[in-house]
Amino acid sequence: MAAIDFPSEIAALRTTYSTIREVTDVAALQTTIDELSAAASAPDLWDDVEAAQKITSDLSHAQTELDRVLKMGSRIEDLEVLVSMADEAREEHDVATADETDAEAAKELTAIRKQLGELEVRTLLSGEYDQREALMTIRSEAGGVDAADFAEMLLRMYLRWAERNGYGVDVMDTSYAEEAGIKSATVAIHAPYAYGTLSVEQGTHRLVRISPFDNQGRRQTSFAAVEVLPVTEATDHIEIPEQDLRVDVFRSSGPGGQSVNTTDSAVRLTHLPTGVVVSCQNEKSQLQNKAAALRVLQARLLEQARLERQAELDALKTDAGGSWGNQMRSYVLHPYQMVKDLRTEHEEGNTSGVFDGAIDGFLESGIRWRRQGERSAQA
């Protein structure tokens, strides 16, 4: 194995880390933490439960973000100490200790590179709503029962990804298919930059496999669609007049139509001017479900307005080349096993790991690909 040029590697790490600190603005982040800590210490904090939860959640996420950045600086310094220890051991002709320390330093170098890459990707999330929490909707498309089953597999994949990262998740609404799987599901991912991170998952996902629902064991191709929206905030000013809404209530249900609620507490909202329909059934009261559904509706109308503004801007531009396209990822389980992003060319052979939530490689490559496209369009 070729010797590692540790001084050059450490210098490169420090350069990348310096850029990350600058973009993150550590001083501003510390100021935010101080302000949130003061707000969290207020004696009347819990008089407004929703506001209190937001303050404590924002504080926790901000502290985590600052710790990630500062600890990375400490790890680079510790790596430098390890390399110095190996050099001292060589000077004392203690070859065994030098080799052992070099191996430890090489292992740490690899780990730091990976985590620095993840931090660097975060700095690329500079869109208008990238720092928001996310609303994700998964829908089955062409492929019958296989598509419904695939949609449920994707839902589990994203829930496992959130669990791996310690992110809170609320399942807002689930519509179960008759035989297996789901027709659709909407979930809220509670984490800073969840929208910016997950927005690269938007599009059509394709699954190729031997269908477990085909008694002849034939290969089946099925499709599911993923939509990702930013969670609205009070400052977004999405006003929805009451006369523009139709409110329907119905009884919540689980798989197979089994009743999970004895009252008509589930709520479906229809925005009459646009025809946008959302529903929510995870809360226990009709009032809570209506409030949650209204937040989803506001998010969809906000995204619709953003897309309209973007379309107007795009109409003023010449063709910059490159398009997101609709079909964005292929999951092949037969005749070979491979998950491949059709935009970035990133691929993984461990399909079971991907469906168990190991999708960070796809997210990172997608964010870099999108940023590169934005830079090309601006050139």
Side-chain angles (χ1 to χ4, degrees):
M1 186 173 105
I4 298 173
D5 184 355
F6 281 109
S8 296
E9 294 288 351
I10 291 173
L13 293 179
R14 287 196 177 281
T15 298
T16 303
Y17 177 65
S18 177
T19 302
I20 290 171
R21 277 190 64 111
E22 183 178 346
V23 173
T24 304
D25 197 344
V26 170
L29 188 56
Q30 183 61 64
T31 298
T32 298
I33 290 172
D34 293 341
E35 291 172 352
L36 288 170
S37 296
S41 302
D44 60 347
L45 172 68
W46 291 99
D47 289 353
D48 185 336
V49 175
E50 187 173 345
Q53 289 175 335
K54 187 176 189 312
I55 289 170
T56 55
S57 176
D58 288 350
L59 176 59
S60 174
H61 288 313
Q63 288 174 329
T64 299
E65 189 73 12
L66 182 62
D67 287 345
R68 286 178 66 190
V69 174
L70 296 182
K71 285 179 180 177
M72 182 55 63
S74 297
R75 288 186 68 178
I76 294 173
E77 291 175 0
D78 291 345
L79 173 62
E80 208 161 20
V81 171
L82 266 181
V83 173
S84 296
M85 289 171 60
D87 290 341
E88 290 174 4
R90 263 187 293 274
E91 290 174 1
E92 296 172 0
H93 305 291
D94 187 350
V95 177
T97 298
D99 288 347
E100 183 180 341
T101 308
D102 271 341
E104 186 178 350
K107 183 177 179 182
E108 180 64 4
L109 173 64
T110 300
I112 290 175
R113 276 186 192 143
K114 181 178 184 298
Q115 292 190 20
L116 259 185
E118 293 171 357
L119 282 174
E120 187 179 22
V121 166
R122 177 65 66 86
T123 67
L124 301 178
L125 299 177
S126 56
E128 183 179 2
Y129 304 117
D130 280 355
Q131 64 181 342
R132 302 274 186 96
E133 296 182 355
L135 284 171
M136 173 177 275
T137 298
I138 300 105
R139 297 185 182 89
S140 62
E141 291 198 327
V145 65
D146 277 280
D149 187 53
F150 180 35
E152 188 167 41
M153 291 165 66
L154 290 179
L155 172 61
R156 180 185 181 277
M157 180 180 79
Y158 292 121
L159 293 178
R160 288 287 292 118
W161 171 81
E163 183 183 332
R164 282 167 172 253
N165 287 279
Y167 299 153
V169 174
D170 282 328
V171 179
M172 308 288 288
D173 183 59
T174 306
S175 175
Y176 293 93
E178 292 181 7
E179 187 172 341
I182 60 173
K183 295 177 182 177
S184 67
T186 298
V187 298
I189 311 293
H190 303 299
Y193 293 94
Y195 171 68
T197 302
L198 291 170
S199 58
V200 297
E201 292 295 290
Q202 184 154 290
T204 299
H205 298 237
R206 181 184 69 158
L207 173 68
V208 180
R209 65 174 176 178
I210 298 296
S211 172
F213 306 103
D214 187 329
N215 55 20
Q216 297 182 41
R218 290 173 295 190
R219 191 168 66 174
Q220 172 76 24
T221 299
S222 53
F223 300 86
V226 174
E227 174 191 66
V228 186
L229 302 171
V231 171
T232 57
E233 295 182 353
T235 55
D236 292 327
H237 300 299
I238 302 295
E239 297 292 338
I240 305 177
E242 197 67 30
Q243 62 267 27
D244 286 351
L245 285 179
R246 186 176 73 234
V247 181
D248 298 306
V249 296
F250 57 97
R251 185 162 297 178
S252 302
S253 62
Q258 180 183 1
S259 174
V260 294
N261 201 318
T262 57
T263 62
D264 292 340
S265 62
V267 173
R268 181 185 300 109
L269 298 181
T270 303
H271 186 241
L272 299 175
T274 62
V276 175
V277 179
V278 301
S279 59
C280 185
Q281 61 177 336
N282 70 309
E283 304 291 350
K284 292 184 178 180
S285 77
Q286 186 182 121
L287 190 62
Q288 289 173 316
N289 278 321
K290 182 179 178 181
L294 190 59
R295 286 196 295 272
V296 177
L297 178 59
Q298 288 175 322
R300 291 198 174 156
L301 294 179
L302 179 70
E303 176 69 0
Q304 190 175 78
R306 186 191 69 79
L307 291 174
E308 288 172 356
R309 290 198 305 272
Q310 187 62 49
E312 291 173 0
L313 291 174
D314 290 344
L316 300 175
K317 298 178 182 178
T318 57
D319 183 15
S323 171
W324 275 79
N326 198 30
Q327 188 172 303
M328 48 78 68
R329 187 173 304 144
S330 180
Y331 305 73
V332 180
L333 303 184
H334 183 84
Y336 56 90
Q337 297 210 345
M338 180 69 68
V339 180
K340 182 174 182 177
D341 194 293
L342 306 178
R343 307 157 305 173
T344 67
E345 301 297 317
H346 182 82
E347 58 185 40
E348 299 277 352
N350 182 8
T351 56
S352 60
V354 171
F355 279 119
D356 199 38
I359 60 172
D360 286 329
F362 290 103
L363 296 175
E364 290 173 20
S365 63
I367 291 168
R368 292 182 188 278
W369 171 83
R370 181 179 63 187
R371 184 57 175 158
Q372 184 60 44
E374 290 169 350
R375 286 171 177 164
S376 298
Q378 292 167 1

